[in-house]
Amino acid sequence: MKPEDIKKAPKLFCESIHIAYTPEYFVMGLSSGAQASIYSLTPEHTKRLQQYLTHQITEFEANHGKIAADWNPKIVSPIQPKPKSTS
């Protein structure tokens, strides 16, 4: 994909990412509201994605400062509806 193609492509804010895996592949679901895209990647492609993201984040932080973010699997997006209580 050319850089000019990325600029023209429609963009959605990704509010949630879910990942699962089997011995053969990783499945990544990216959602925005009621819309979602599902991608399957080989373990090798997944590893390259991780390496690419690490590289891009390092460049971003060199230009814009450290990103303050801690990973917590229990964080709920403010856009996502809260689960209904079962009481």
Side-chain angles (χ1 to χ4, degrees):
M1 183 176 265
K2 298 175 186 172
E4 57 269 18
D5 294 335
I6 292 173
K7 290 177 183 175
K8 295 177 188 175
K11 293 157 186 70
L12 294 172
F13 178 78
C14 180
E15 64 186 33
S16 182
I17 300 171
H18 298 279
I19 299 174
Y21 57 87
T22 71
E24 292 85 25
Y25 57 89
F26 283 76
V27 177
M28 212 168 47
L30 304 146
S31 66
S32 177
Q35 297 180 350
S37 295
I38 308 296
Y39 299 92
S40 293
L41 297 94
T42 64
E44 295 81 7
H45 275 96
T46 305
K47 187 70 171 190
R48 285 189 285 274
L49 173 61
Q50 182 227 0
Q51 292 166 344
Y52 181 66
L53 287 171
T54 298
H55 171 77
Q56 290 295 93
I57 290 167
T58 300
E59 281 193 6
F60 178 93
E61 289 183 331
N63 291 318
H64 302 285
K66 183 127 177 87
I67 300 168
D70 293 321
W71 183 70
N72 179 344
K74 296 183 182 187
I75 292 175
V76 176
S77 166
I79 300 170
Q80 295 172 338
K82 299 208 185 275
K84 293 180 183 176
S85 65
T86 56
S87 43

